[in-house]
Amino acid sequence: MQTFKRSNKNMASNGNKMSKITLTVSLLFFGVSCNTLAQQPVSERTITIQMSASEVLPADLIIFNVNINAEGDTPQKAYELHRERESLLADLLMNLNVEEENIDYDPIRMNRRQVGNNRYNSEEGPKYITATNQSVSITFSDFSIYEKIQLSLIENEFDSFNGQFSSTKISEGKETALIAAIEAAKERAELIAKTSGVELAGVSTINFSDHQISIPQRASSMEMMSRASDASIMDFAQTVEVRSNISISYYIR
C-alpha cells in the first residue's frame, strides 16, 4: 500500500517576464477646505493614492486538488475505505511520474454524526456513521496527464476534484506588478501636489496586497481551424494574472 510522504514546496519560482500592466486610480485629498488645510500641522497633511497594477504570465503549471473522502457505519470501516482510496491515488501519481515534491496534502480528518432514515438505520433506533476527509494538491507541468488523472479518479469513485492554471513565474510577476503600482502611485501623487500648489514631503504609510487571477485566453478562429481534428482544448495557451493593490499616503507641505 502506497502512502504519501509529507512534502512542502513553494509552487512558484522566478523566470522571464511577460508584462501587461493595467492601472486603476482612486484619490483621496484630506482637508475640508483650503483654510482648514493651511491651519493643519505639516505632519498631518496627506495625499493618499490607491493604485492597482497587474502582470499577465504564461500558464505553465496546473494545480490539481483532490478531496479523498469515505464513510462507514464504524470508524474502522470508514478508515479502511479511505486508505484504499488514498492508495489508489498514490499508485496513480507514481504511474504518471508525478514528483514527490509536487504533492502536498493535509492529514486525514474524521468525524462521527448521527444519521436518519438510510442504509445504516435499523429498528433499534438511530445509528451513527463515521466520515473521513483529506485534501491533496498535485502540481504538474505536463498538461497531457490532466485528463488521465480525472478519468482514473472517476473510474475509482472519487467525486470531488478540480484543477486550476498557475505559473512558475508567480513570484516575479507579483514583484513586477508591485513595482509598477508604486511607481504609478508616486507619479500621480506628484501630479496632484504640483497642480494643487503643494509639495510632497515623504511617505506617511504604505499598505499593499497581492493575489492571483486566472484569465482564459481565447484563440483566434484561424488558430482553431489550423488545429488537427484530434486536438484537445488543453492545446491552447493559457495565462494567469497576478495583481498588486497598494495604498500610499504622502505628507505634503
Side-chain angles (χ1 to χ4, degrees):
M1 179 178 294
Q2 301 291 335
T3 58
F4 293 116
K5 178 180 179 182
R6 181 63 177 175
S7 169
N8 291 317
K9 180 191 174 186
N10 184 347
M11 299 298 181
S13 62
N14 291 333
N16 295 325
K17 302 179 181 176
M18 184 177 80
S19 300
K20 180 180 179 183
I21 304 299
T22 58
L23 302 175
T24 58
V25 182
S26 175
L27 308 176
L28 298 176
F29 193 178
F30 290 96
V32 177
S33 66
C34 292
N35 290 333
T36 302
L37 180 62
Q39 296 171 0
Q40 290 179 318
V42 172
S43 61
E44 294 182 3
R45 302 179 194 172
T46 61
I47 297 176
T48 298
I49 308 294
Q50 295 178 343
M51 188 68 69
S52 176
S54 65
E55 182 82 356
V56 178
L57 308 168
D60 54 6
L61 294 175
I62 289 180
I63 300 176
F64 193 77
N65 303 299
V66 183
N67 186 36
I68 306 174
N69 53 63
E71 64 177 39
D73 55 355
T74 67
Q76 187 62 31
K77 288 182 180 180
Y79 183 74
E80 289 176 356
L81 179 56
H82 184 103
R83 293 292 301 219
E84 179 182 338
R85 291 177 176 173
E86 181 184 349
S87 180
L88 287 169
L89 179 59
D91 288 339
L92 172 62
L93 298 180
M94 292 183 65
N95 291 335
L96 293 174
N97 297 317
V98 177
E99 298 293 337
E100 182 177 327
E101 59 267 24
N102 291 332
I103 302 172
D104 287 288
Y105 64 93
D106 294 330
I108 299 174
R109 298 179 293 273
M110 302 182 70
N111 65 82
R112 183 171 177 263
R113 67 176 184 270
Q114 183 176 321
V115 294
N117 295 324
N118 58 34
R119 64 184 183 277
Y120 297 111
N121 259 0
S122 68
E123 295 180 355
E124 298 178 358
K127 297 292 183 180
Y128 292 87
I129 64 169
T130 298
T132 69
N133 183 274
Q134 184 178 26
S135 298
V136 181
S137 178
I138 307 110
T139 302
F140 50 87
S141 58
D142 183 0
F143 288 9
S144 67
I145 70 174
Y146 182 66
E147 295 177 358
K148 296 177 183 178
I149 291 179
Q150 293 189 86
L151 289 174
S152 296
L153 293 177
I154 293 172
E155 291 172 354
N156 288 283
E157 300 182 350
F158 285 79
D159 56 11
S160 179
F161 48 85
N162 64 80
Q164 66 185 62
F165 289 109
S166 187
S167 174
T168 56
K169 303 176 179 66
I170 291 294
S171 293
E172 183 177 6
K174 288 181 178 180
E175 181 178 334
T176 302
L178 179 59
I179 292 173
I182 293 173
E183 292 176 344
K186 183 178 180 181
E187 290 177 2
R188 190 53 56 95
E190 290 173 342
L191 175 62
I192 294 172
K194 181 179 179 180
T195 305
S196 303
V198 296
E199 296 180 0
L200 297 184
V203 174
S204 172
T205 60
I206 300 177
N207 295 290
F208 79 95
S209 63
D210 53 49
H211 57 280
Q212 176 180 332
I213 309 170
S214 295
I215 306 177
Q217 183 179 30
R218 297 181 180 178
S220 68
S221 57
M222 291 299 293
E223 288 176 325
M224 296 180 69
M225 291 174 62
S226 67
R227 302 283 178 172
S229 59
D230 60 347
S232 167
I233 193 66
M234 298 295 288
D235 294 333
F236 296 104
Q238 296 295 300
T239 58
V240 294
E241 178 184 359
V242 289
R243 181 177 294 274
S244 288
N245 303 305
I246 191 163
S247 176
I248 306 181
S249 293
Y250 296 91
Y251 290 120
I252 59 173
R253 59 190 174 199

